[in-house]
mmCIF file of all heavy atoms in Angstrom:
data_model
loop_
_atom_site.group_PDB
_atom_site.id
_atom_site.type_symbol
_atom_site.label_atom_id
_atom_site.label_comp_id
_atom_site.label_asym_id
_atom_site.label_seq_id
_atom_site.Cartn_x
_atom_site.Cartn_y
_atom_site.Cartn_z
ATOM 1 N N ASN A 76 143.821 380.228 74.452
ATOM 2 C CA ASN A 76 144.162 380.071 75.864
ATOM 3 C C ASN A 76 145.563 379.517 75.987
ATOM 4 O O ASN A 76 145.925 378.578 75.301
ATOM 5 C CB ASN A 76 143.157 379.119 76.529
ATOM 6 C CG ASN A 76 143.344 379.055 78.019
ATOM 7 O OD1 ASN A 76 144.327 378.510 78.491
ATOM 8 N ND2 ASN A 76 142.394 379.606 78.737
ATOM 9 N N ALA A 77 146.353 380.092 76.890
ATOM 10 C CA ALA A 77 147.748 379.705 77.012
ATOM 11 C C ALA A 77 147.933 378.285 77.512
ATOM 12 O O ALA A 77 148.996 377.717 77.386
ATOM 13 C CB ALA A 77 148.475 380.671 77.942
ATOM 14 N N ASN A 78 146.906 377.690 78.092
ATOM 15 C CA ASN A 78 147.023 376.330 78.607
ATOM 16 C C ASN A 78 146.142 375.351 77.851
ATOM 17 O O ASN A 78 145.807 374.292 78.350
ATOM 18 C CB ASN A 78 146.662 376.292 80.094
ATOM 19 C CG ASN A 78 147.646 377.068 80.912
ATOM 20 O OD1 ASN A 78 148.835 376.960 80.683
ATOM 21 N ND2 ASN A 78 147.161 377.852 81.863
ATOM 22 N N ALA A 79 145.731 375.725 76.637
ATOM 23 C CA ALA A 79 144.748 374.917 75.929
ATOM 24 C C ALA A 79 145.417 373.917 75.003
ATOM 25 O O ALA A 79 146.158 374.299 74.114
ATOM 26 C CB ALA A 79 143.830 375.829 75.116
ATOM 27 N N PRO A 80 145.181 372.634 75.190
ATOM 28 C CA PRO A 80 145.642 371.666 74.200
ATOM 29 C C PRO A 80 144.807 371.759 72.946
ATOM 30 O O PRO A 80 143.603 371.974 73.014
ATOM 31 C CB PRO A 80 145.448 370.318 74.903
ATOM 32 C CG PRO A 80 144.367 370.569 75.883
ATOM 33 C CD PRO A 80 144.490 372.014 76.298
ATOM 34 N N LEU A 81 145.445 371.643 71.781
ATOM 35 C CA LEU A 81 144.735 371.796 70.515
ATOM 36 C C LEU A 81 144.008 370.516 70.155
ATOM 37 O O LEU A 81 144.629 369.464 70.035
ATOM 38 C CB LEU A 81 145.727 372.156 69.408
ATOM 39 C CG LEU A 81 145.144 372.351 68.017
ATOM 40 C CD1 LEU A 81 144.240 373.569 68.011
ATOM 41 C CD2 LEU A 81 146.230 372.505 66.981
ATOM 42 N N PRO A 82 142.677 370.561 70.021
ATOM 43 C CA PRO A 82 141.951 369.352 69.613
ATOM 44 C C PRO A 82 142.186 369.064 68.142
ATOM 45 O O PRO A 82 141.772 369.824 67.288
ATOM 46 C CB PRO A 82 140.488 369.711 69.881
ATOM 47 C CG PRO A 82 140.432 371.187 69.812
ATOM 48 C CD PRO A 82 141.780 371.691 70.255
ATOM 49 N N ILE A 83 142.869 367.974 67.866
ATOM 50 C CA ILE A 83 143.210 367.613 66.498
ATOM 51 C C ILE A 83 142.665 366.221 66.222
ATOM 52 O O ILE A 83 142.783 365.321 67.045
ATOM 53 C CB ILE A 83 144.738 367.617 66.297
ATOM 54 C CG1 ILE A 83 145.303 369.028 66.564
ATOM 55 C CG2 ILE A 83 145.113 367.148 64.908
ATOM 56 C CD1 ILE A 83 144.832 370.056 65.600
ATOM 57 N N GLN A 84 142.059 366.034 65.070
ATOM 58 C CA GLN A 84 141.606 364.712 64.686
ATOM 59 C C GLN A 84 142.815 363.863 64.300
ATOM 60 O O GLN A 84 143.702 364.305 63.587
ATOM 61 C CB GLN A 84 140.647 364.799 63.504
ATOM 62 C CG GLN A 84 139.332 365.494 63.867
ATOM 63 C CD GLN A 84 138.401 365.527 62.696
ATOM 64 O OE1 GLN A 84 138.791 365.225 61.594
ATOM 65 N NE2 GLN A 84 137.170 365.911 62.947
ATOM 66 N N ALA A 85 142.857 362.647 64.824
ATOM 67 C CA ALA A 85 144.003 361.777 64.568
ATOM 68 C C ALA A 85 144.061 361.414 63.088
ATOM 69 O O ALA A 85 143.048 361.121 62.465
ATOM 70 C CB ALA A 85 143.907 360.528 65.418
ATOM 71 N N ARG A 86 145.274 361.442 62.543
ATOM 72 C CA ARG A 86 145.474 361.050 61.157
ATOM 73 C C ARG A 86 146.243 359.733 61.120
ATOM 74 O O ARG A 86 147.137 359.484 61.924
ATOM 75 C CB ARG A 86 146.291 362.116 60.414
ATOM 76 C CG ARG A 86 145.575 363.472 60.333
ATOM 77 C CD ARG A 86 144.281 363.363 59.557
ATOM 78 N NE ARG A 86 143.681 364.658 59.338
ATOM 79 C CZ ARG A 86 143.911 365.403 58.261
ATOM 80 N NH1 ARG A 86 144.727 364.986 57.335
ATOM 81 N NH2 ARG A 86 143.328 366.566 58.107
ATOM 82 N N THR A 87 145.900 358.889 60.161
ATOM 83 C CA THR A 87 146.615 357.631 59.996
ATOM 84 C C THR A 87 147.923 357.896 59.265
ATOM 85 O O THR A 87 147.943 358.510 58.203
ATOM 86 C CB THR A 87 145.770 356.644 59.185
ATOM 87 O OG1 THR A 87 144.537 356.435 59.858
ATOM 88 C CG2 THR A 87 146.506 355.319 59.038
ATOM 89 N N VAL A 88 149.022 357.434 59.849
ATOM 90 C CA VAL A 88 150.337 357.624 59.249
ATOM 91 C C VAL A 88 150.890 356.263 58.892
ATOM 92 O O VAL A 88 150.945 355.369 59.738
ATOM 93 C CB VAL A 88 151.281 358.355 60.231
ATOM 94 C CG1 VAL A 88 152.619 358.624 59.559
ATOM 95 C CG2 VAL A 88 150.646 359.647 60.689
ATOM 96 N N THR A 89 151.305 356.066 57.676
ATOM 97 C CA THR A 89 151.832 354.779 57.237
ATOM 98 C C THR A 89 153.250 354.603 57.744
ATOM 99 O O THR A 89 153.877 355.533 58.239
ATOM 100 C CB THR A 89 151.804 354.701 55.704
ATOM 101 O OG1 THR A 89 152.695 355.704 55.193
ATOM 102 C CG2 THR A 89 150.406 354.960 55.169
ATOM 103 N N ASN A 90 153.760 353.393 57.585
ATOM 104 C CA ASN A 90 155.118 353.122 58.043
ATOM 105 C C ASN A 90 156.138 353.961 57.301
ATOM 106 O O ASN A 90 157.202 354.255 57.821
ATOM 107 C CB ASN A 90 155.448 351.640 57.871
ATOM 108 C CG ASN A 90 154.596 350.770 58.772
ATOM 109 O OD1 ASN A 90 154.181 351.216 59.823
ATOM 110 N ND2 ASN A 90 154.350 349.534 58.356
ATOM 111 N N GLY A 91 155.804 354.333 56.103
ATOM 112 C CA GLY A 91 156.714 355.161 55.337
ATOM 113 C C GLY A 91 156.540 356.628 55.585
ATOM 114 O O GLY A 91 157.188 357.450 54.955
ATOM 115 N N TYR A 92 155.632 356.987 56.519
ATOM 116 C CA TYR A 92 155.381 358.375 56.883
ATOM 117 C C TYR A 92 154.958 359.209 55.687
ATOM 118 O O TYR A 92 155.289 360.368 55.559
ATOM 119 C CB TYR A 92 156.620 359.014 57.533
ATOM 120 C CG TYR A 92 157.014 358.374 58.810
ATOM 121 C CD1 TYR A 92 158.071 357.477 58.850
ATOM 122 C CD2 TYR A 92 156.312 358.619 59.993
ATOM 123 C CE1 TYR A 92 158.438 356.849 60.029
ATOM 124 C CE2 TYR A 92 156.681 358.000 61.175
ATOM 125 C CZ TYR A 92 157.749 357.121 61.180
ATOM 126 O OH TYR A 92 158.103 356.515 62.339
ATOM 127 N N SER A 93 154.219 358.594 54.760
ATOM 128 C CA SER A 93 153.703 359.351 53.638
ATOM 129 C C SER A 93 152.551 360.216 54.092
ATOM 130 O O SER A 93 151.844 359.885 55.033
ATOM 131 C CB SER A 93 153.232 358.390 52.539
ATOM 132 O OG SER A 93 152.230 357.540 53.044
ATOM 133 N N LEU A 94 152.369 361.337 53.439
ATOM 134 C CA LEU A 94 151.320 362.266 53.813
ATOM 135 C C LEU A 94 149.964 361.740 53.396
ATOM 136 O O LEU A 94 149.828 361.143 52.329
ATOM 137 C CB LEU A 94 151.566 363.626 53.157
ATOM 138 C CG LEU A 94 152.808 364.374 53.641
ATOM 139 C CD1 LEU A 94 152.982 365.647 52.835
ATOM 140 C CD2 LEU A 94 152.682 364.692 55.111
ATOM 141 N N PRO A 95 148.929 361.935 54.237
ATOM 142 C CA PRO A 95 147.588 361.488 53.853
ATOM 143 C C PRO A 95 147.035 362.337 52.730
ATOM 144 O O PRO A 95 147.490 363.446 52.476
ATOM 145 C CB PRO A 95 146.784 361.688 55.141
ATOM 146 C CG PRO A 95 147.504 362.753 55.884
ATOM 147 C CD PRO A 95 148.946 362.573 55.565
ATOM 148 N N ALA A 96 146.019 361.801 52.084
ATOM 149 C CA ALA A 96 145.394 362.530 50.995
ATOM 150 C C ALA A 96 144.692 363.759 51.513
ATOM 151 O O ALA A 96 144.293 363.828 52.660
ATOM 152 C CB ALA A 96 144.405 361.618 50.268
ATOM 153 N N SER A 97 144.532 364.765 50.651
ATOM 154 C CA SER A 97 143.873 365.996 51.062
ATOM 155 C C SER A 97 142.429 365.720 51.447
ATOM 156 O O SER A 97 141.781 364.841 50.910
ATOM 157 C CB SER A 97 143.923 367.005 49.915
ATOM 158 O OG SER A 97 143.193 368.159 50.241
ATOM 159 N N THR A 98 141.940 366.508 52.403
ATOM 160 C CA THR A 98 140.567 366.313 52.848
ATOM 161 C C THR A 98 139.564 366.672 51.766
ATOM 162 O O THR A 98 138.432 366.210 51.798
ATOM 163 C CB THR A 98 140.307 367.176 54.090
ATOM 164 O OG1 THR A 98 140.635 368.538 53.787
ATOM 165 C CG2 THR A 98 141.156 366.722 55.261
ATOM 166 N N VAL A 99 139.961 367.498 50.827
ATOM 167 C CA VAL A 99 139.091 367.848 49.706
ATOM 168 C C VAL A 99 139.839 367.547 48.419
ATOM 169 O O VAL A 99 140.928 368.065 48.203
ATOM 170 C CB VAL A 99 138.683 369.337 49.750
ATOM 171 C CG1 VAL A 99 137.819 369.675 48.547
ATOM 172 C CG2 VAL A 99 137.942 369.640 51.042
ATOM 173 N N SER A 100 139.292 366.707 47.633
ATOM 174 C CA SER A 100 139.963 366.309 46.397
ATOM 175 C C SER A 100 140.103 367.498 45.461
ATOM 176 O O SER A 100 139.213 368.350 45.364
ATOM 177 C CB SER A 100 139.168 365.194 45.719
ATOM 178 O OG SER A 100 139.692 364.940 44.448
ATOM 179 N N LEU A 101 141.239 367.565 44.761
ATOM 180 C CA LEU A 101 141.437 368.652 43.803
ATOM 181 C C LEU A 101 140.430 368.564 42.667
ATOM 182 O O LEU A 101 140.134 369.566 42.016
ATOM 183 C CB LEU A 101 142.858 368.599 43.244
ATOM 184 C CG LEU A 101 143.988 368.937 44.250
ATOM 185 C CD1 LEU A 101 145.339 368.817 43.559
ATOM 186 C CD2 LEU A 101 143.789 370.327 44.802
ATOM 187 N N ALA A 102 139.884 367.379 42.448
ATOM 188 C CA ALA A 102 138.883 367.238 41.392
ATOM 189 C C ALA A 102 137.614 367.997 41.726
ATOM 190 O O ALA A 102 136.846 368.343 40.839
ATOM 191 C CB ALA A 102 138.569 365.760 41.165
ATOM 192 N N GLN A 103 137.404 368.260 43.033
ATOM 193 C CA GLN A 103 136.199 368.974 43.429
ATOM 194 C C GLN A 103 136.337 370.476 43.219
ATOM 195 O O GLN A 103 135.355 371.190 43.307
ATOM 196 C CB GLN A 103 135.907 368.699 44.907
ATOM 197 C CG GLN A 103 135.544 367.265 45.194
ATOM 198 C CD GLN A 103 135.294 367.078 46.666
ATOM 199 O OE1 GLN A 103 136.201 367.133 47.472
ATOM 200 N NE2 GLN A 103 134.050 366.878 47.014
ATOM 201 N N VAL A 104 137.547 370.945 43.012
ATOM 202 C CA VAL A 104 137.768 372.377 42.898
ATOM 203 C C VAL A 104 137.537 372.813 41.457
ATOM 204 O O VAL A 104 138.012 372.189 40.515
ATOM 205 C CB VAL A 104 139.205 372.731 43.342
ATOM 206 C CG1 VAL A 104 139.418 374.226 43.317
ATOM 207 C CG2 VAL A 104 139.471 372.163 44.716
ATOM 208 N N SER A 105 136.827 373.890 41.289
ATOM 209 C CA SER A 105 136.541 374.373 39.942
ATOM 210 C C SER A 105 137.817 374.856 39.269
ATOM 211 O O SER A 105 138.783 375.244 39.924
ATOM 212 C CB SER A 105 135.527 375.529 40.013
ATOM 213 O OG SER A 105 136.077 376.604 40.740
ATOM 214 N N VAL A 106 137.819 374.838 37.957
ATOM 215 C CA VAL A 106 139.008 375.227 37.205
ATOM 216 C C VAL A 106 139.379 376.666 37.492
ATOM 217 O O VAL A 106 140.543 377.008 37.664
ATOM 218 C CB VAL A 106 138.751 375.015 35.698
ATOM 219 C CG1 VAL A 106 139.941 375.514 34.897
ATOM 220 C CG2 VAL A 106 138.493 373.539 35.417
#
Side-chain angles (χ1 to χ4, degrees):
N76 187 290
N78 295 317
L81 180 66
I83 299 295
Q84 293 182 349
R86 297 298 187 92
T87 302
V88 184
T89 64
N90 294 332
Y92 297 101
S93 59
L94 294 176
S97 175
T98 55
V99 178
S100 172
L101 292 179
Q103 294 179 290
V104 184
S105 62
V106 176

